Structures are given as structure tokens and as C-alpha cells.
């Protein structure tokens, strides 16, 4: 069996390492700060439908495929899924037409989106504010990414530095940063999130359009009546500097969340953070053989095969089990074709 080195211990890298180890490969995971990148900020929506937009049909299909793998994967890791569906809501009439366009697109693509008026929405989610209307995405779910990362971390050993020996395959799952000559293939898109603790959280994820801006509120499963974690997200901003939370970003998030769910006014603020999402030029992840060249473009290299598992942008948590399977298939069979839409060589 080839010896595999996985670079990056976020949810994607750890998922790949776990799947490879499960298939009997000798795996080494290298990350000086495991789980501290985009996975740390992720809200954990397993919601291919609520984030889809025109031109992203391929992504919807991939998301649905990976969503289908989640129940068995989460059960194996011992992590609960929150399967109450996702409510897509619009605050004013303009926001509602945005939701209606999204619901029409989903229906055209064969994904379930049940339209609901304001009153029906409040019957399902009594804490909702004065939303105009929306839709229920019954198949969508959520998970706590930090719990997933912790469960995976228990199953695979992570080292701060690579061991001295060579490896046969190197998998680059380093999020918004890739080494040269692939560095230009991903760019950081800052996402800010706020974590709250709340005694009366919504029953399910609410993703709303609020005066033209998207805001989501993701509750963690918990016992009724006890305070639970609620994640409010997320801003989205192309930028050059380090991903720090900004006053303007946090203000927009909290304002949006309070308009969607006024009861959040009483929630305790636990954490504010920002991370870079790893975005690609065409919006699709890079999963498969790296385009020509060796990392950093220097030296003779070790002769290892290089695979990329990067550029998951908004979808790293959702696509982790699918990515792990695709990467492990490529390690198992070097002659296998990568997924055509995800092949990183499409960029060269
Ligand atoms: N998938 C949620 C986000 O990127 O904000």
C-alpha cells in the first residue's frame, strides 16, 4: 500500500486521512495548527439547496451526493446530525422575490423546496420575526463541524512537521493556501461568524435574505429548555489582509439575525471570529491530481504523486465525505479518472 502524507488537518484533510486509514493505507497528517482554519468558523450547514444559485447546478449535484453520505458518516464518527430541514425566508418583498427565484431554480433542478407564507413559517418556527414568506428545504440538515473535527482527530494522528521518510502520495488539503506552483488556484474569501448561547433557539437552521443580504442562523441540537449554541453567519468578502472580524461585518450579522429571530436579542455572545474560505475561479473544488509542477517549484522533489483536495469555498463541511471517497479512490487506483468537474488540471 502506498504511504500517504496529508497536508492540512481541517475537516477535508482529516476526512481524507480517516478514509485512507480505513482502507488500510499508512497515513501521516501534517498540520502545525490542526482544525484552526475555515473548519473552525464553519456553521456546519449540510444544505446543498439553500446555498445554490444559477450556474451552480454541478455543485448542487455534488452537494446532494455528499449529503446522502452524511448520516452513515456521522454515525460512524458518533456525531449527531440535526435533520429538521432548513427554512429559507425573505424579510421584505424584495427578499421574498430572491427566495422565490431560488425556490424556482431548485424545483427546476428536481430538489424539494416547499413554498410557505409568513403565517405557515411562524407556525413551524414561532420565534421568526416579520418575515414575508419563504420555503422549507426538508432534506437539508446541519452538524457541528468542531465535533466532527474532534472525532476525526481522535482517529488520526496529526504531526506539526512531516516525518523524515519519503511518501508515495501527498494530498494537499490546506484550505485557502496552497504552495507554489498552485498558490494562484485558491484565494481567501473572508467569512465572519458570531457564536451565541441561547435558551430559546430556533428549531432548525434559518437562512434569510434581510434587505438584500444573506444571513443564516444555525442552532446546535440540544435538550429542550437548555441553552444551546447558535451560529450566526456569514459575511463574504474578497480581501488581501488577514481574516479578522470587523465591526461593520459583525454589526450586519447581528442586525440581520435579530430581524429574522428577535428573541436572539437575549442571547449571550460567546465568540466572534473570521476565517478565509478557500475559493476557486470557477467555484468548484479541486479534487484530484495536481496540475504539473512540484510544491514550491524547487528541488528535485521526492517523486511523490501530488493530489489536491482544496478550494471547497462554502462547502467544505458538506463535501468532506465525498472528497474523502474521491481522494481515497485515486490513491487506491492511480489509473482511475478523477471526477471530471473537480479535476484540478482543468485550471491549466
Ligand atoms: N457554508 C456557509 C458559509 O460559507 O458561510
Amino acid at each position: 500500500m502506498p504511504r500517504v502524507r496529508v497536508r492540512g488537518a481541517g475537516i477535508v484533510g482529516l476526512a481524507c486521512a480517516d478514509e485512507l486509514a480505513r482502507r488500510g493505507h499508512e497515513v501521516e497528517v501534517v498540520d502545525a495548527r490542526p482544525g484552526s482554519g475555515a473548519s473552525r468558523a464553519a456553521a456546519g450547514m449540510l444544505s446543498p439547496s439553500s446555498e445554490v444559485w444559477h450556474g451552480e447546478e454541478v455543485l448542487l449535484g455534488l452537494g446532494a451526493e455528499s449529503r446522502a453520505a452524511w448520516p452513515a458518516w456521522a454515525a460512524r464518527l458518533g456525531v449527531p446530525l440535526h435533520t429538521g430541514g432548513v427554512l429559507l425566508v425573505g424579510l421584505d418583498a424584495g427578499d421574498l422575490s430572491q427566495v422565490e427565484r431560488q425556490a424556482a431554480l431548485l424545483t427546476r433542478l428536481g430538489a424539494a423546496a416547499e413554498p410557505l407564507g409568513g403565517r405557515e413559517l411562524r407556525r413551524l418556527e414561532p420565534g421568526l420575526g416579520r418575515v414575508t414568506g419563504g420555503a422549507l428545504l426538508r432534506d437539508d440538515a446541519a452538524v457541528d463541524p468542531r465535533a466532527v473535527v474532534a472525532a476525526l482527530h481522535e482517529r488520526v494522528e496529526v504531526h506539526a512537521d512531516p516525518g523524515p521518510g519519503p511518501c508515495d502520495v501527498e494530498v494537499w488539503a490546506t484550505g485557502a493556501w496552497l504552495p507554489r506552483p498552485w498558490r494562484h488556484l485558491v484565494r481567501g474569501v473572508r467569512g465572519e461568524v458570531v457564536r451565541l448561547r441561547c435558551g430559546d433557539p430556533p428549531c432548525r437552521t434559518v437562512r434569510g435574505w434581510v434587505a438584500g443580504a444573506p444571513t443564516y442562523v444555525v442552532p446546535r441540537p440540544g435538550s429542550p429548555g437548555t441553552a444551546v449554541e447558535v451560529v450566526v453567519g456569514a459575511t463574504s468578502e474578497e480581501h488581501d489582509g488577514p481574516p479578522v472580524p470587523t465591526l461593520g461585518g459583525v454589526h450586519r450579522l447581528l442586525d440581520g439575525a435579530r430581524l429574522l429571530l428577535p428573541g436572539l436579542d437575549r442571547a449571550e455572545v460567546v465568540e466572534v471570529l473570521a476565517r478565509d474560505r478557500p475559493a476557486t475561479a470557477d467555484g468548484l473544488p479541486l479534487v484530484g491530481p495536481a496540475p504539473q509542477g512540484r510544491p514550491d517549484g524547487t528541488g528535485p522533489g521526492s517523486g511523490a504523486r501530488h493530489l489536491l483536495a482544496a478550494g471547497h469555498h462554502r462547502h467544505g463541511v458538506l463535501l468532506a465525505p465525498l472528497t474523502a471517497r474521491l481522494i481515497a479512490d485515486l490513491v487506491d487506483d492511480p489509473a482511475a479518472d478523477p471526477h471530471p468537474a473537480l479535476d484540478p488540471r482543468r485550471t491549466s
Side-chain angles (χ1 to χ4, degrees), residues 43 45 51 193 207 216 233-235 277 313-315:
M45 280 187 285
E51 299 214 292
V193 296
R207 189 178 170 98
Y216 52 76
T235 57
R277 301 180 184 86
H313 196 209
R314 297 181 162 279
H315 312 286

Side-chain angles (χ1 to χ4, degrees), residues 30 34 38 52 102 127 134 140 146 185 215 252 265:
V30 182
V52 77
Q102 200 171 345
D140 289 2
R146 293 184 182 182
L185 300 181
T215 303
R252 278 194 298 281
D265 227 28

Side-chain angles (χ1 to χ4, degrees), residues 45-130:
M45 280 187 285
L46 304 179
S47 185
S49 301
S50 76
E51 299 214 292
V52 77
W53 199 235
H54 292 275
E56 296 184 338
E57 290 79 1
V58 174
L59 204 50
L60 179 67
L62 293 164
E65 191 178 345
S66 203
R67 165 71 185 90
W70 258 98
W73 202 58
R76 188 162 68 74
L77 298 178
V79 174
L81 280 193
H82 196 189
T83 53
V86 169
L87 280 182
L88 205 53
V89 303
L91 196 70
D92 61 27
D95 295 324
L96 180 58
S97 59
Q98 187 80 357
V99 172
E100 285 169 348
R101 276 200 293 275
Q102 200 171 345
L105 172 69
L106 289 170
T107 306
R108 192 156 53 73
L109 297 175
E114 296 165 38
L116 298 170
R119 206 169 300 161
E120 293 163 292
L121 281 169
R122 271 184 293 279
R123 207 170 302 135
L124 268 181
E125 199 61 72
L128 278 174
R130 301 172 70 83

Side-chain angles (χ1 to χ4, degrees), residues 192 210 213 215 235 237 246-257:
E192 291 150 281
V210 181
T215 303
T235 57
E237 196 187 349
T246 62
L247 186 136
V250 172
H251 171 77
R252 278 194 298 281
L253 289 177
L254 295 183
D255 224 27

